[in-house]
């Protein structure tokens, strides 16, 4: 391609991917190309804005992408593949939070299923349970309900692009945990970190089972080496 950007060498790509794994709880920060009306934050955040030419806080040997300026909670300048040159930050943050929330639920369900299964369901490993219930018709039900949820997600995304809401904000706080702005910002940072960690964790859980045929808690108690 003639985009003026040099392609990654295999060695550089491997290093970037390794850095992503090491900084899993704070690395993944998507970016966008359009000016955002919602980029205004508190003065503390504004003071942390990174200047053009700075290095990424997540991967110090790579330049900070020009479109990542620290406006969003959890933005540490991690974008080695250049997504911030293509996609809108608001769209990517919405997707990151959505997938992260699903991943946190998946991690919890993955572990709980090892400890308890409803009496009317067969007892099996979580990965095997997925395959079993897809064969029993559960897959079509999941697709139906997820599609139903996505309708509301699309409406919310349009509101985000119109500047009516922040990405991922559904005003859902039934326990009134965010008592003030400072607390809200702290919980937002915690959520994005846990979301990123959960997305890595659920992938690790599944691949671990494929390789070792051991569930998460089983391997903790009886580690099986791949060697």
């Amino acid at each position: 391609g003639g985009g003026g950007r040099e392609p990654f060498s295999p060695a550089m790509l491997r290093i970037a991917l390794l850095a992503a794994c090491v900084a899993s709880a704070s690395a993944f920060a998507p970016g966008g190309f359009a000016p955002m009306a919602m980029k205004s934050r508190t003065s503390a955040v504004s003071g942390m804005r990174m200047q053009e030419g700075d290095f990424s806080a997540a991967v110090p040997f790579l330049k900070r992408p020009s479109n990542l300026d620290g406006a969003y909670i959890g933005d540490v300048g991690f974008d080695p593949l250049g997504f911030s040159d293509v996609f809108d930050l608001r769209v990517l943050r919405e997707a990151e939070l959505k997938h992260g929330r699903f991943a946190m639920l998946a991690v919890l369900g993955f572990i709980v299923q090892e400890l308890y299964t409803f009496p009317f369901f067969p007892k099996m490993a979580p990965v095997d349970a997925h395959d079993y219930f897809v064969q029993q018709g559960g897959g079509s039900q999941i697709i139906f309900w997820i599609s139903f949820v996505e309708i509301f997600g699309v409406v919310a995304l349009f509101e985000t692009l119109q500047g009516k809401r922040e990405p991922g904000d559904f005003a859902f706080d039934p326990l009134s945990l965010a008592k003030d702005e400072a607390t809200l910002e702290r919980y937002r940072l915690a959520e994005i970190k846990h979301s990123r960690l959960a997305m890595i964790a659920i992938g690790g859980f599944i691949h671990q089972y494929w390789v070792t045929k051991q569930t998460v808690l089983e391997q903790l108690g009886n580690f099986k080496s791949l060697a």
Side-chain angles (χ1 to χ4, degrees), residues 201-218:
I202 192 62
F205 288 176
I206 295 171
H207 285 81
Q208 169 189 283
Y209 183 78
W210 284 344
V211 173
T212 67
K213 298 303 178 184
Q214 287 183 300
T215 58
V216 176
L217 299 181
E218 180 185 359

Side-chain angles (χ1 to χ4, degrees), residues 23 41 56 59 68 73-74 86 91 93-94 101 107 119-120 138 149 151 167 175 185-186 194 203 205:
R41 293 282 190 239
S56 166
V59 191
L68 297 182
I73 292 292
V86 181
V91 174
R93 177 50 66 94
E94 185 87 27
R101 289 162 180 169
V107 166
F120 43 84
V149 171
I151 295 175
L175 301 180
E185 295 293 289
R186 181 165 59 87
H194 294 149
F205 288 176

